[in-house]
Amino acid sequence: MNFAKKTSLILALIMLGSANAGTTATWTTYADAACTTLCPAGTVDACSTTVDTTQACNQNSESSQSNIVCYADKITYTNFPNTGTNSGSAGCPSGGQSFPNEIAVGGCIEFPGPVLTWKKIEASTYDCEDNSGGPSAGTPTAAPGDDTPSSAMKSSIVASMVLPLLFFAGSF
């Protein structure tokens, strides 16, 4: 394989691989306002929740979440309490009790409820792509599912740019 073909193939793989990157956000639940004492489950894995913007409904052991929107400095979502896997619920029930939540990246955010907890998204690991649809971070102009670019749409755009490069380099 000549240099041009190798370069085109590597470029294509890099671009296609990054088209779906940054669709998840993870927060950890703590038992103290300083975000130093993990939740009663006691381990980072058991106290962490990862949500995916490409999923209509995310479910952890205690609750479920929908309408995940990532910003440069926070995430917002709709929370459905007591609909997690421990409840036997399918999650995100239509017409079920829900309320909007917001977690700032890097902050230790209090979440009142039957059990007082705090949640934190580590700034050093946050890479969820801003899918707010707004002109700048923190200013959404469209709800998820409206005219915001999806990962599939981004992939098709990247593919439309990469395929000509592959043809230009010749056949494999």
Side-chain angles (χ1 to χ4, degrees):
M1 188 181 292
N2 68 31
F3 178 75
K5 288 181 182 179
K6 287 180 185 176
T7 304
S8 293
L9 181 59
I10 290 169
L11 179 63
L13 292 174
I14 290 170
M15 291 177 76
L16 288 173
S18 65
N20 290 321
T23 63
T24 62
T26 301
W27 67 77
T28 304
T29 302
Y30 294 90
D32 68 319
C35 286
T36 57
T37 304
L38 289 170
C39 73
T43 67
V44 172
D45 284 344
C47 295
S48 294
T49 297
T50 298
V51 292
D52 188 335
T53 62
T54 65
Q55 301 297 314
C57 181
N58 291 263
Q59 192 175 30
N60 61 28
S61 61
E62 303 298 323
S63 62
S64 56
Q65 305 81 29
S66 67
N67 302 317
I68 313 298
V69 180
C70 293
Y71 298 83
D73 59 349
K74 67 181 177 181
I75 66 167
T76 61
Y77 60 95
T78 302
N79 187 54
F80 295 85
N82 304 313
T83 60
T85 55
N86 289 347
S87 72
S89 167
C92 305
S94 178
Q97 177 191 6
S98 66
F99 53 90
N101 272 352
E102 179 178 303
I103 304 175
V105 175
C108 187
I109 310 301
E110 182 179 334
F111 275 71
V115 176
L116 190 59
T117 60
W118 290 261
K119 298 184 188 310
K120 183 176 184 179
I121 297 173
E122 292 295 335
S124 63
T125 60
Y126 182 72
D127 69 347
C128 194
E129 182 179 319
D130 188 326
N131 66 339
S132 66
S136 64
T139 311
T141 57
D146 286 349
D147 294 325
T148 57
S150 67
S151 292
M153 181 180 184
K154 291 175 191 173
S155 295
S156 66
I157 291 168
V158 169
S160 70
M161 295 181 331
V162 171
L163 289 177
L165 291 175
L166 294 175
F167 287 114
F168 176 73
S171 62
F172 290 100

